[in-house]
Amino acid sequence: MKIAIFGIGLIGGSVAIDLRAAHFCTEILGVGRTQKNNELALHLGLVDKIVSKEEALEQADLIILTVPVNSLVDELIYILNNIQPHQTVTDMGSTKGTIIDAIKDHPNRKQYVASHPMAGTENSGPAAAIPHLFEGKVCIICDKENSNKKSVQLVESLYETLGMHLKYMDAHQHDMHAAYISHISHISSFVLAATVLEKEKDEKAILEMAGGGFESTVRLAKSSPEMWAPIFQQNKNYLLEVMDTYIEKMYHFRNLINKNKNEELKQFMTSANEIRKILK
């Protein structure tokens, strides 16, 4: 089996590493956006060769899209317009509703399986690809009833090979949960980093005084703006809702400190401690 990966950065490159190690396929074709990334992916051995979109559609049995979400719809429509009957296409984007709504009436819709592996780091590009990135993590497959059984089984096999646990959701349900859990975490990190950089002008002080808590909290602020800005835009309806709640909680926390309501402050933090029961 041959696979083609559109986008050979952190996600696509890490997929390639683990699929090659598991002998999941006989050849990995790369379709990159820039010559620099293409050359680096070849040099690192992530892919066997770089091909055009047209060549990928001629040769691949499974097509994996790991491009930014603002490019996904166009790429997916192009592939579905030209896909062969034996081929399957899946994507690994962080949003699903917009993408699925755009292709729901396409005659080749059933050859597409919408998926989101919940894994990543703050780094980007082919050099950021690492083995075992997905192992033990959760992958969400959306609206699987609208994909043909053979395609779903192939994509399930892909993620099982990567060591992931499979969950199934409606696309818009997925986007809601992603906003509440994943996307708001990135926004919080970006905002915290921007706040610290604005208020603390002494870079040496940041370096010397930043403990593990600060470092882990702002780690996500190192993430690629080119990747995350389109995600926030596509999922803005759910994101605006959770951001409003977040801002309300922040104002409440501020008022408790400002008015010296120490007992209420401790009660607020105690209630937040309940997250321990979920994230042990």
Side-chain angles (χ1 to χ4, degrees), residues 205-216:
I206 295 175
L207 184 62
E208 291 177 346
M209 297 182 67
F214 177 78
E215 190 172 357
S216 63

Side-chain angles (χ1 to χ4, degrees), residues 263-280:
E263 288 304 315
E264 291 183 42
L265 183 64
K266 286 191 286 185
Q267 290 174 9
F268 184 99
M269 291 187 286
T270 299
S271 65
N273 285 162
E274 293 295 307
I275 199 70
R276 289 177 178 170
K277 296 178 180 179
I278 302 169
L279 301 176
K280 298 180 181 178

Side-chain angles (χ1 to χ4, degrees), residues 31-77:
V31 182
R33 290 184 294 165
T34 68
Q35 184 176 350
K36 180 180 177 181
N37 279 355
N38 288 342
E39 291 174 354
L40 185 54
L42 276 173
H43 174 72
L44 295 172
L46 301 178
V47 297
D48 295 301
K49 60 183 178 180
I50 298 294
V51 298
S52 66
K53 295 179 186 180
E54 293 78 12
E55 290 171 319
L57 279 162
E58 288 174 2
Q59 301 177 43
D61 301 293
L62 172 62
I63 299 156
I64 303 172
L65 300 178
T66 65
V67 298
V69 296
N70 57 327
S71 303
L72 259 173
V73 170
D74 289 342
E75 294 282 18
L76 183 56
I77 290 174

Side-chain angles (χ1 to χ4, degrees), residues 12 16 24 45 56 136 169 177 186 194 211 213 224-225 241 257 279:
F24 181 81
M169 285 186 188
H177 291 306
H186 283 78
S224 166
E241 179 183 335
I257 294 173
L279 301 176

Side-chain angles (χ1 to χ4, degrees), residues 156-185:
E156 287 174 336
S157 175
L158 161 71
Y159 287 115
E160 287 165 356
T161 300
L162 295 176
M164 303 198 79
H165 307 294
L166 297 176
K167 303 293 181 182
Y168 302 88
M169 285 186 188
D170 165 82
H172 291 280
Q173 181 187 34
H174 161 276
D175 287 0
M176 178 184 70
H177 291 306
Y180 293 173
I181 298 166
S182 172
H183 300 170
I184 189 63
S185 300

Side-chain angles (χ1 to χ4, degrees), residues 194-210:
T195 301
V196 170
L197 289 171
E198 179 175 320
K199 301 302 290 185
E200 179 56 83
K201 302 301 182 182
D202 187 342
E203 292 185 10
K204 186 177 180 182
I206 295 175
L207 184 62
E208 291 177 346
M209 297 182 67

Side-chain angles (χ1 to χ4, degrees), residues 7 22 42 78 82 121 134 147 164 215 225 228 249 258-260 264 270:
L42 276 173
Y78 172 81
N82 296 280
T121 73
F134 306 95
S147 305
M164 303 198 79
E215 190 172 357
W228 279 98
K249 297 292 184 185
N258 184 44
K259 296 178 181 179
N260 299 315
E264 291 183 42
T270 299

Side-chain angles (χ1 to χ4, degrees), residues 128-172:
I130 55 174
H132 312 300
L133 175 65
F134 306 95
E135 190 171 332
K137 307 293 197 317
V138 170
C139 176
I140 311 297
I141 293 179
C142 294
D143 298 358
K144 80 169 198 174
E145 67 278 2
N146 295 324
S147 305
N148 68 49
K149 186 175 180 181
K150 179 182 175 183
S151 292
V152 171
Q153 288 175 340
L154 178 58
V155 172
E156 287 174 336
S157 175
L158 161 71
Y159 287 115
E160 287 165 356
T161 300
L162 295 176
M164 303 198 79
H165 307 294
L166 297 176
K167 303 293 181 182
Y168 302 88
M169 285 186 188
D170 165 82
H172 291 280

